[in-house]
PDB file of all heavy atoms in Angstrom:
ATOM      1  N   VAL A 220      -5.419 210.023 -62.198  1.00 92.00           N
ATOM      2  CA  VAL A 220      -5.993 210.384 -60.897  1.00 92.00           C
ATOM      3  C   VAL A 220      -6.073 211.903 -60.809  1.00 92.00           C
ATOM      4  O   VAL A 220      -5.055 212.588 -60.919  1.00 92.00           O
ATOM      5  CB  VAL A 220      -5.140 209.825 -59.732  1.00 92.00           C
ATOM      6  CG1 VAL A 220      -5.810 210.159 -58.392  1.00 92.00           C
ATOM      7  CG2 VAL A 220      -4.956 208.319 -59.873  1.00 92.00           C
ATOM      8  N   PHE A 221      -7.287 212.423 -60.639  1.00 88.00           N
ATOM      9  CA  PHE A 221      -7.487 213.872 -60.521  1.00 88.00           C
ATOM     10  C   PHE A 221      -7.895 214.224 -59.097  1.00 88.00           C
ATOM     11  O   PHE A 221      -8.728 213.528 -58.504  1.00 88.00           O
ATOM     12  CB  PHE A 221      -8.615 214.367 -61.435  1.00 88.00           C
ATOM     13  CG  PHE A 221      -8.570 213.841 -62.830  1.00 88.00           C
ATOM     14  CD1 PHE A 221      -9.664 213.198 -63.389  1.00 88.00           C
ATOM     15  CD2 PHE A 221      -7.436 213.991 -63.603  1.00 88.00           C
ATOM     16  CE1 PHE A 221      -9.641 212.725 -64.680  1.00 88.00           C
ATOM     17  CE2 PHE A 221      -7.399 213.524 -64.902  1.00 88.00           C
ATOM     18  CZ  PHE A 221      -8.504 212.882 -65.449  1.00 88.00           C
ATOM     19  N   PRO A 222      -7.355 215.296 -58.536  1.00 89.00           N
ATOM     20  CA  PRO A 222      -7.902 215.770 -57.251  1.00 89.00           C
ATOM     21  C   PRO A 222      -9.290 216.335 -57.504  1.00 89.00           C
ATOM     22  O   PRO A 222      -9.505 217.068 -58.474  1.00 89.00           O
ATOM     23  CB  PRO A 222      -6.927 216.872 -56.828  1.00 89.00           C
ATOM     24  CG  PRO A 222      -6.295 217.333 -58.092  1.00 89.00           C
ATOM     25  CD  PRO A 222      -6.290 216.181 -59.041  1.00 89.00           C
ATOM     26  N   GLU A 223     -10.239 215.966 -56.676  1.00 86.00           N
ATOM     27  CA  GLU A 223     -11.613 216.442 -56.877  1.00 86.00           C
ATOM     28  C   GLU A 223     -11.704 217.907 -56.456  1.00 86.00           C
ATOM     29  O   GLU A 223     -11.487 218.247 -55.297  1.00 86.00           O
ATOM     30  CB  GLU A 223     -12.593 215.593 -56.072  1.00 86.00           C
ATOM     31  CG  GLU A 223     -14.035 215.853 -56.436  1.00 86.00           C
ATOM     32  CD  GLU A 223     -14.979 214.877 -55.754  1.00 86.00           C
ATOM     33  OE1 GLU A 223     -15.397 215.159 -54.622  1.00 86.00           O
ATOM     34  OE2 GLU A 223     -15.268 213.823 -56.346  1.00 86.00           O
ATOM     35  N   ALA A 224     -12.003 218.755 -57.423  1.00 80.00           N
ATOM     36  CA  ALA A 224     -12.024 220.198 -57.167  1.00 80.00           C
ATOM     37  C   ALA A 224     -13.332 220.620 -56.516  1.00 80.00           C
ATOM     38  O   ALA A 224     -14.409 220.174 -56.909  1.00 80.00           O
ATOM     39  CB  ALA A 224     -11.825 220.958 -58.476  1.00 80.00           C
ATOM     40  N   GLU A 225     -13.215 221.485 -55.508  1.00 73.00           N
ATOM     41  CA  GLU A 225     -14.399 222.094 -54.914  1.00 73.00           C
ATOM     42  C   GLU A 225     -14.888 223.214 -55.835  1.00 73.00           C
ATOM     43  O   GLU A 225     -14.159 223.681 -56.713  1.00 73.00           O
ATOM     44  CB  GLU A 225     -14.046 222.690 -53.537  1.00 73.00           C
ATOM     45  CG  GLU A 225     -13.372 221.733 -52.577  1.00 73.00           C
ATOM     46  CD  GLU A 225     -14.299 220.686 -52.010  1.00 73.00           C
ATOM     47  OE1 GLU A 225     -15.539 220.825 -52.203  1.00 73.00           O
ATOM     48  OE2 GLU A 225     -13.806 219.736 -51.392  1.00 73.00           O
ATOM     49  N   GLU A 226     -16.125 223.647 -55.617  1.00 67.00           N
ATOM     50  CA  GLU A 226     -16.676 224.711 -56.463  1.00 67.00           C
ATOM     51  C   GLU A 226     -15.831 225.975 -56.372  1.00 67.00           C
ATOM     52  O   GLU A 226     -15.677 226.707 -57.351  1.00 67.00           O
ATOM     53  CB  GLU A 226     -18.132 225.006 -56.077  1.00 67.00           C
ATOM     54  CG  GLU A 226     -19.107 223.933 -56.568  1.00 67.00           C
ATOM     55  CD  GLU A 226     -20.546 224.309 -56.324  1.00 67.00           C
ATOM     56  OE1 GLU A 226     -20.897 225.497 -56.540  1.00 67.00           O
ATOM     57  OE2 GLU A 226     -21.337 223.437 -55.926  1.00 67.00           O
ATOM     58  N   PHE A 227     -15.257 226.239 -55.178  1.00 65.00           N
ATOM     59  CA  PHE A 227     -14.469 227.468 -55.028  1.00 65.00           C
ATOM     60  C   PHE A 227     -13.049 227.316 -55.585  1.00 65.00           C
ATOM     61  O   PHE A 227     -12.310 228.267 -55.668  1.00 65.00           O
ATOM     62  CB  PHE A 227     -14.437 227.950 -53.567  1.00 65.00           C
ATOM     63  CG  PHE A 227     -14.072 226.893 -52.561  1.00 65.00           C
ATOM     64  CD1 PHE A 227     -12.777 226.389 -52.487  1.00 65.00           C
ATOM     65  CD2 PHE A 227     -15.011 226.407 -51.662  1.00 65.00           C
ATOM     66  CE1 PHE A 227     -12.420 225.433 -51.564  1.00 65.00           C
ATOM     67  CE2 PHE A 227     -14.668 225.446 -50.724  1.00 65.00           C
ATOM     68  CZ  PHE A 227     -13.376 224.960 -50.676  1.00 65.00           C
ATOM     69  N   ASP A 228     -12.652 226.067 -55.961  1.00 71.00           N
ATOM     70  CA  ASP A 228     -11.328 225.861 -56.570  1.00 71.00           C
ATOM     71  C   ASP A 228     -11.315 226.274 -58.041  1.00 71.00           C
ATOM     72  O   ASP A 228     -10.326 226.791 -58.547  1.00 71.00           O
ATOM     73  CB  ASP A 228     -10.912 224.380 -56.471  1.00 71.00           C
ATOM     74  CG  ASP A 228     -10.532 223.970 -55.066  1.00 71.00           C
ATOM     75  OD1 ASP A 228      -9.984 224.821 -54.345  1.00 71.00           O
ATOM     76  OD2 ASP A 228     -10.790 222.823 -54.685  1.00 71.00           O
ATOM     77  N   VAL A 229     -12.411 225.985 -58.728  1.00 77.00           N
ATOM     78  CA  VAL A 229     -12.516 226.252 -60.164  1.00 77.00           C
ATOM     79  C   VAL A 229     -13.863 226.893 -60.458  1.00 77.00           C
ATOM     80  O   VAL A 229     -14.906 226.358 -60.101  1.00 77.00           O
ATOM     81  CB  VAL A 229     -12.392 224.948 -60.995  1.00 77.00           C
ATOM     82  CG1 VAL A 229     -12.574 225.238 -62.477  1.00 77.00           C
ATOM     83  CG2 VAL A 229     -11.063 224.266 -60.748  1.00 77.00           C
ATOM     84  N   GLU A 230     -13.815 228.039 -61.104  1.00 79.00           N
ATOM     85  CA  GLU A 230     -15.054 228.718 -61.474  1.00 79.00           C
ATOM     86  C   GLU A 230     -15.325 228.451 -62.952  1.00 79.00           C
ATOM     87  O   GLU A 230     -14.509 228.761 -63.818  1.00 79.00           O
ATOM     88  CB  GLU A 230     -14.920 230.227 -61.234  1.00 79.00           C
ATOM     89  CG  GLU A 230     -16.252 230.942 -61.243  1.00 79.00           C
ATOM     90  CD  GLU A 230     -16.119 232.409 -60.810  1.00 79.00           C
ATOM     91  OE1 GLU A 230     -15.326 232.690 -59.905  1.00 79.00           O
ATOM     92  OE2 GLU A 230     -16.795 233.241 -61.429  1.00 79.00           O
ATOM     93  N   ILE A 231     -16.470 227.833 -63.249  1.00 85.00           N
ATOM     94  CA  ILE A 231     -16.832 227.520 -64.624  1.00 85.00           C
ATOM     95  C   ILE A 231     -17.965 228.443 -65.078  1.00 85.00           C
ATOM     96  O   ILE A 231     -18.996 228.536 -64.410  1.00 85.00           O
ATOM     97  CB  ILE A 231     -17.273 226.045 -64.765  1.00 85.00           C
ATOM     98  CG1 ILE A 231     -16.121 225.092 -64.397  1.00 85.00           C
ATOM     99  CG2 ILE A 231     -17.759 225.757 -66.180  1.00 85.00           C
ATOM    100  CD1 ILE A 231     -16.508 223.626 -64.398  1.00 85.00           C
ATOM    101  N   ASN A 232     -17.739 229.108 -66.192  1.00 86.00           N
ATOM    102  CA  ASN A 232     -18.782 229.954 -66.778  1.00 86.00           C
ATOM    103  C   ASN A 232     -19.795 229.048 -67.483  1.00 86.00           C
ATOM    104  O   ASN A 232     -19.446 228.370 -68.453  1.00 86.00           O
ATOM    105  CB  ASN A 232     -18.149 230.930 -67.772  1.00 86.00           C
ATOM    106  CG  ASN A 232     -19.169 231.915 -68.338  1.00 86.00           C
ATOM    107  OD1 ASN A 232     -20.377 231.717 -68.223  1.00 86.00           O
ATOM    108  ND2 ASN A 232     -18.682 232.980 -68.954  1.00 86.00           N
TER     109      ASN A 232
END
Side-chain angles (χ1 to χ4, degrees):
V220 183
F221 314 126
E223 191 173 87
E225 307 287 349
E226 285 187 41
F227 50 70
D228 287 327
V229 177
E230 195 172 322
I231 298 175
N232 184 345

